[in-house]
Amino acid sequence: MSDGAHQHATRPTQAVVLAGGQGSRLRPYTDDRPKPMVEIPGTGEPIIGHQLRWLASEGVTDAVISCGHLAEVLQDWLGSHDLPLRVTTVVESEPLGRGGGLKYAAAALPRPTEPWFATNGDIWTRFSLREMAEFHNERDALATLALARPRIPWGAVETDEFGHVLDFIEAPPSPYLINAGVYVFAAAFTALLPDRGDHERHTFPRLARERRLAGFPLSQGAYWRAIDTAKDLTEAARELAQG
């Protein structure tokens, strides 16, 4: 098989979106809708709409959306919109935790023997999933997580060794990379997920020890924001206005 054919064969065309969270820090926006249904100000579209268009533009043809809190609001929206890909929803009858939720949703993927993307339902981002999938393949990883370098929400103060203040830096980039909430998973990863509980406490550390977990750093210019609080919505609107 040629290299090109190999990469084509292993590029994920299916994805899971985790959209079941309560979104309590986004109240009152989430009083009557789940977090992914919160509209990005100025776009006329909820977060989930942006996500589905992004996934479709990156070659994804099928998405499974895992719903929980106010699932019917999300399902109604999906049912009344012309979507750019095929969408199935699953609803957890009881909370299974993040890892259990992923495993439960993955069971509804149309191609269980192929790799898949996953994303948290509150992430608003644009970067190349194709590049991320290639990175994942090159490292022969079971799972790859996208890594973002967020800006620290406070101004930083730089001092010298004598305690003199040298400079004030407004919202500097964090020295640490964080889990950006977007993943590529090999087909074999699904079986390693817990039926209930959190994969980030068990599955990921185990894979890290075995060097089967990869981290894909988002390029400097990539847009990434987690919509977690009302302040995030305001910032997102401002960034959108600035283009």
Side-chain angles (χ1 to χ4, degrees):
M1 194 193 283
S2 76
D3 196 22
H6 173 73
Q7 284 185 346
H8 179 72
T10 50
R11 180 181 292 155
T13 55
Q14 50 185 2
V16 165
V17 180
L18 290 176
Q22 291 278 345
S24 48
R25 291 170 65 195
L26 257 175
R27 290 202 174 114
Y29 297 100
T30 47
D31 284 345
D32 61 352
R33 68 196 55 193
K35 204 171 172 185
M37 280 300 300
V38 172
E39 204 172 281
I40 304 273
T43 69
E45 190 173 36
I47 303 166
I48 190 78
H50 292 279
Q51 288 190 325
L52 293 176
R53 278 193 297 110
W54 173 51
L55 291 170
S57 73
E58 291 290 333
V60 174
T61 58
D62 295 86
V64 176
I65 301 178
S66 174
C67 315
H69 175 64
L70 299 173
E72 60 289 347
V73 178
L74 181 48
Q75 289 168 326
D76 288 349
W77 185 87
L78 292 166
S80 62
H81 282 74
D82 194 12
L83 303 172
L85 35 65
R86 282 185 295 274
V87 171
T88 315
T89 57
V90 296
V91 182
E92 294 175 27
S93 50
E94 51 179 335
L96 300 172
R98 287 190 299 178
L102 264 180
K103 190 174 198 170
Y104 182 65
L109 287 168
R111 295 174 287 281
T113 59
E114 290 182 18
W116 46 292
F117 292 116
T119 177
N120 295 344
D122 57 358
I123 303 294
W124 191 34
T125 186
R126 276 284 181 279
F127 66 88
S128 173
L129 285 173
R130 290 180 168 93
E131 274 175 32
M132 185 178 171
E134 228 155 272
F135 179 96
H136 169 83
N137 288 341
E138 282 163 7
R139 277 143 196 85
D140 194 28
L142 273 172
T144 297
L145 41 156
L147 302 174
R149 192 181 294 283
R151 291 200 164 273
I152 295 171
W154 307 281
V157 180
E158 198 184 332
T159 60
D160 66 13
E161 64 270 37
F162 304 110
H164 300 121
V165 171
L166 302 177
D167 203 3
F168 295 92
I169 307 153
E170 200 47 55
S174 161
Y176 295 104
L177 290 165
I178 64 160
N179 176 351
V182 180
Y183 311 90
V184 187
F185 294 135
F189 174 78
T190 315
L192 304 177
L193 284 164
D195 291 325
R196 44 181 354 134
D198 193 340
H199 60 295
E200 297 193 13
R201 294 221 177 91
H202 308 290
T203 319
F204 277 179
R206 190 178 117 203
L207 291 183
R209 284 193 298 273
E210 295 167 5
R211 298 289 182 271
R212 301 298 307 276
L213 184 66
F216 174 73
L218 300 189
S219 65
Q220 205 107 47
Y223 184 78
W224 179 88
R225 179 172 282 285
I227 307 290
D228 207 34
T229 63
K231 186 169 178 272
D232 292 321
L233 277 179
T234 315
E235 301 267 302
R238 201 195 65 217
E239 287 158 352
L240 190 71
Q242 291 169 351

